[in-house]
Amino acid sequence: MQTFSSNADSSTISDTLQNVQLDVVMHDVSAQNNVRYSHRQFIEEKLKIVQSNNYHRGFSSPIWRLPTEILAQIFLYCIPEDENRTPAPYLAPMLLTTVCRRWREVAVDMSSLWRRLKMEVGHGDWQQRAFCYDSCLKRSRGRQLSLTLECHNNDWTELRSLLQPYVDQISSLSLGFFSGAGSLAVADFRGLDELVIYTDGSDPILSVAHSIAQLPPSMRSLKLMDLWFNLRLLSGLNPLAWAGLTNLEIVVDGLDSFPRLLRLCPSLSSLTMIGIFTPIEAPEPLAHANLKSLRVSGDLPLDSIGNLGLFDAIALPNLRAVEVRNIGQWPHEEFKAFLARSQCPLESLIFGGGVMATDQQLAEYISLFPSLELVADPTRSAFYF
């Protein structure tokens, strides 16, 4: 790689500027003697170019001497860690390929720059976007991919066809089901580890239900946003469809979905359940050996009274953390019976906003679990965690 001496650069710049400026002065004189003005303009443009080149050489040359390894680390800081973005010429990593040939070579050779991508289908020039998407995917060179796919019409066919050569690389997937979007077989993504599904406020629940009717065996985490699942929909799933999940975040219509979720997900370690909390009418005995964390947020006012049946007849022997919000009066006696039945090593109990529990009740939990992290924070009142 070529390097530059600052002293030599200064001398060269000075000599060049003096010579070119002299040229301009001489041609100014000639212009008075009817020399064509266009020739003078050419010399002035030449001066500007030389000044520009020497300016960039003198002030930017240190960065050209950076080792490739350091330049690559700088490039990584240009990429958001938790966001998949649509490729654009004014954003990294594509922007990095336009600065100079060396930067382009380094950026194109860094597969880690090209592993996060947002792709859309259903509007605009698909052929042009598909070419751009495919170029980025090829540069990932077999690395695990984190993709966001949005469908703005009723057909995922174009995206599915484009992704076919890369399907086993996709470990993290976010699917945007917009109005009219059809179903997409998630089971086809054989290397998938985590899945997030969201909407634009429409209600494509049937398309989503068909899409997740069977999950790939590798998948461990599922987050369903803005979609309301009830017992009927959950009962229609294959009993083994979600057997491998260890983390689930879901919005439910009715607490009778809770036992069904535990049966569907025998490996579940963490459950976040949000929704409309109507009581469980006739809870049946159920034990779940693996659940460690339970977060619950309902729609009930603070003065709501009545047992929801959430902790009746259930046993969670491995439970360590519980957080509750917006469920009204806390079922203290039912929860104590649940703790005795479960014999769980509870470590954390958090009461957010919209939960009515007395100081005496809180003190009882401390006496049961002396090392318990007990938090009563009414500011934690948002419907979603």
Side-chain angles (χ1 to χ4, degrees), residues 75-96 113-120 132-133 136-137 146-150 174 198:
F75 285 1
L76 288 175
Y77 281 101
C78 299
I79 308 296
E81 294 183 1
D82 56 354
E83 178 186 0
N84 299 338
R85 298 194 299 196
T86 303
Y90 54 84
L91 295 173
M94 291 186 66
L95 178 62
L96 300 173
L113 292 181
W114 308 95
R115 57 174 300 272
R116 305 187 69 96
L117 185 63
K118 180 179 179 181
M119 308 165 69
E120 300 173 87
C132 179
Y133 295 155
C136 293
L137 292 169
S146 173
L147 301 183
T148 296
L149 311 181
E150 289 187 354
S174 295
Y198 60 94

Side-chain angles (χ1 to χ4, degrees), residues 202-214:
S202 58
D203 187 24
I205 187 66
L206 293 180
S207 294
V208 172
H210 289 142
S211 299
I212 59 176
Q214 183 66 53

Side-chain angles (χ1 to χ4, degrees), residues 12 56 99 127 139 211 298 365:
T12 302
H56 286 93
V99 175
Q127 294 301 324
R139 291 171 182 174
S211 299
Y365 297 127

Side-chain angles (χ1 to χ4, degrees), residues 177-179 198-204 226:
F177 283 79
F178 292 174
S179 181
Y198 60 94
T199 75
D200 61 347
S202 58
D203 187 24
D226 309 322

Side-chain angles (χ1 to χ4, degrees), residues 27-35:
H27 281 274
D28 278 343
V29 175
S30 299
Q32 296 174 6
N33 294 317
N34 298 321
V35 176

